[in-house]
């Protein structure tokens, strides 16, 4: 799906700002047709933002069910000549949308965009009501899964099997944009090298004639072609590479007065797994960085330019070259930045919590099998497939994305796991033959018992020796970790990336003798892991959990959230940040 853009044939209008907002725990709005008139009893709500933490009100923070947003828009009368599209970059976890009195779209999946052609509904030159109902319920058939518990006092409480807070709302920008009536609906590119020549295979979704021009970063034309499908060759190409986010621009044009044009950034690079190496442009790449979250005070998961640039500045300061979009696709602005700055991304789906063995019961999952008709089922699998399709469709052209992570910490031991994951891995490969795939494996799924690792290209491991296992005992952690990594390396001729390791750390809690929760312990634990990584050749990357402290579900035992951040939630460094900085810059 193409992003909205301004250009000679297109115009966009951001609907970010204050919308009217009203909770609807009883679901009355759908029967009473709240979209037909101005929303009553409404409060102001910023878009983009999660709604949960804006007001000091637990009915909003802990709300389960529908919540309504409404705004009024006016666009110039000249838009009447154009096709008009309403696009939501995300609505968590599902939404239905009305323009004036007509429903225009419904969408499920909280972290991928959706849009509707609203040419027939929107009245250019007049006032228009845009009404959205978002719903945050997680069930066994949603990705991520969850379940709702009815309390004796009448409250409905949302349970889920991941620790981060279930923020909801319109987390990302909303757009109205125009295209001509004959328009470019999608572009796909795949890149390789032929010696020092860059080769771009492109495909543009369009009916009729098309011209394609490729320009370098200085705006010079370097290649051109005609037709919706073709190949562009760039002599002496400037590759996209880690730390060098060089982008070309492919401009596709439908010629003529009523034609269309669209500019697509292209980074020319290859990604490949060869034996136990991960290669970018044929050179071994070592991942240094973090699992992150979209998470901040007040705005929750709401996208924010200032925070985004600041986070990238801190990644640069600390010497990171990559991160994982744990545990869902991040805002497209984040991926744009990574593309432009040469930051490598592991793109993850929102599939997290597909494991009822985890958490020692803290997630209240009960003693049930993960995969069964009453838990993670065929319906969940369909939602998961859809999440993979939408992620690949959104980010397929991004040079920064080097690897797809299809799920975080699933149950990989129950024999049914294989039937569940085989079609998902096959679908990801079919949709995108150019990128390797992986899944983040949990400590409870050791190599000898794993049913699914052979379906993937890279071994991604989340490990908590010395924290959740043998808490505080770093000597045992060191031998256990090394032992396990050598088992993986012996069983699979695949590279290993440690996608999580870390320890909760209370900032300011210091000790001469490191003990859990102190800043010294976090430093020591990282040192231990790094010694092991440096001894095991198959390890090609280290992503500390987590970049920053983040908000968690009230249902898990945490001290004001997850404190495994190397930075605090307001982005102050803990002592470990300086240790990582030394290691990653050296
Ligand atoms: C891992 C999960 C991650 C958690 C982390 C933790 O992948 O989402 O936040 O543990 O407990 O199991 O800190």
């Amino acid at each position: 799906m193409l992003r909205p853009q301004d250009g000679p044939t297109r115009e966009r209008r951001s609907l970010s700002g204050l919308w009217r907002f009203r909770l609807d725990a009883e679901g009355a709005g759908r029967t009473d047709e709240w979209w037909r008139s101005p929303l009553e009893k409404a409060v102001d709500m910023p878009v983009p933002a999660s709604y949960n933490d804006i007001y000091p009100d637990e009915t909003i923070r802990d709300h389960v069910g529908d919540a309504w947003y409404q705004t009024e828009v006016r666009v110039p009368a000249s838009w009447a000549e154009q096709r008009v599209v309403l696009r939501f970059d995300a609505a968590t976890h599902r939404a239905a949308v009305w323009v004036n009195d007509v429903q225009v779209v419904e969408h499920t999946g909280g972290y991928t965009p959706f849009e509707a052609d609203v040419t027939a509904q929107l009245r250019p030159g007049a006032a228009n009501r845009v009404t959205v109902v978002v719903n945050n319920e997680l069930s066994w058939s949603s990705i991520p899964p969850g379940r709702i518990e009815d309390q004796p006092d009448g409250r409905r409480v949302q349970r889920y099997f991941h620790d981060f807070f279930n923020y909801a709302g319109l987390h990302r920008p909303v757009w109205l944009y125009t295209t001509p009536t004959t328009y470019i609906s999608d572009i796909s590119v795949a890149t390789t090298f032929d010696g020092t020549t860059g080769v771009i295979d492109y495909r543009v979704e369009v009916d009729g004639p098309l011209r394609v021009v490729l320009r370098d970063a200085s705006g010079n034309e370097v290649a051109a072609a005609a037709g919706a499908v073709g190949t562009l060759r760039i002599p002496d190409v400037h590759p996209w590479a880690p730390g060098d986010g060089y982008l070309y621009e492919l401009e596709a044009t439908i010629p003529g007065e009523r034609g269309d044009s669209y500019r697509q950034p292209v980074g020319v690079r290859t990604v490949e797994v060869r034996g136990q190496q991960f290669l970018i442009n044929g050179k071994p790449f070592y991942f240094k960085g973090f699992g992150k979250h979209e998470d901040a005070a007040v705005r929750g998961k709401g996208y924010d330019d200032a925070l985004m640039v600041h986070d990238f500045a801190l990644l640069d300061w600390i010497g990171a070259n990559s991160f994982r979009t744990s545990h869902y696709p991040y805002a497209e602005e984040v991926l744009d930045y990574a593309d432009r700055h040469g930051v490598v991304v592991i793109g993850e789906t929102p599939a997290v919590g597909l494991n009822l063995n985890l958490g020692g019961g803290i997630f209240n999952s009960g003693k049930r099998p993960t995969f069964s008709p009453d838990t993670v089922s065929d319906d969940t699998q369909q939602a998961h497939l859809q999440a993979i399709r939408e992620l690949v469709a959104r980010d397929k052209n991004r040079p920064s994305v080097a690897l797809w992570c299809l799920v975080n910490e699933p149950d990989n031991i129950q024999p049914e796991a294989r039937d569940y994951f085989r079609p998902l891995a096959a679908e990801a490969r079919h949709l995108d033959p150019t990128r390797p795939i992986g899944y983040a494996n949990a400590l409870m799924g050791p190599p000898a018992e794993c049913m699914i690792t052979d379906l993937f290209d890279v071994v991604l491991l989340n490990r908590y020796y010395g924290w959740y296992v043998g808490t505080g005992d770093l000597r045992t952690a060191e031998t256990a970790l090394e032992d396990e990594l050598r088992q993986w390396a012996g069983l699979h001729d695949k590279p290993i990336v440690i996608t999580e390791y870390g320890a909760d750390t209370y900032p300011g809690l210091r000790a001469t003798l490191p003990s859990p929760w102190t800043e010294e312990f976090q430093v020591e634990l990282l040192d231990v892991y790094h010694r092991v990584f440096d001894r095991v050749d198959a390890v090609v990357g280290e992503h500390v959990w987590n970049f920053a402290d983040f908000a968690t579900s009230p249902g898990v035992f945490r001290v004001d959230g997850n404190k495994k951040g190397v930075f605090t939630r307001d982005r102050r460094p803990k002592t470990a940040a300086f240790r990582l900085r030394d290691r990653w810059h050296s």
Side-chain angles (χ1 to χ4, degrees), residues 267 444 507:
M444 318 287 287

Side-chain angles (χ1 to χ4, degrees), residues 68 80 122 151 222 229 256 275 300 351 371 376 421 481 496 565-566 579 582:
W68 293 75
L122 196 87
Q151 301 299 312
V222 292
V229 180
F371 301 98
V376 175
F421 286 109
L481 176 67
I496 299 173
V566 166
R579 187 63 129 247
D582 286 345

Side-chain angles (χ1 to χ4, degrees), residues 163 327 408-409 462 464 468 500 545 550 558 562 564:
D163 72 339
H327 293 306
N408 184 66
E409 297 196 343
N462 297 352
Y464 289 97
Y468 288 126
E500 289 185 24
W545 190 257
F550 59 90
R558 299 281 193 213
N562 190 309
K564 294 190 187 69

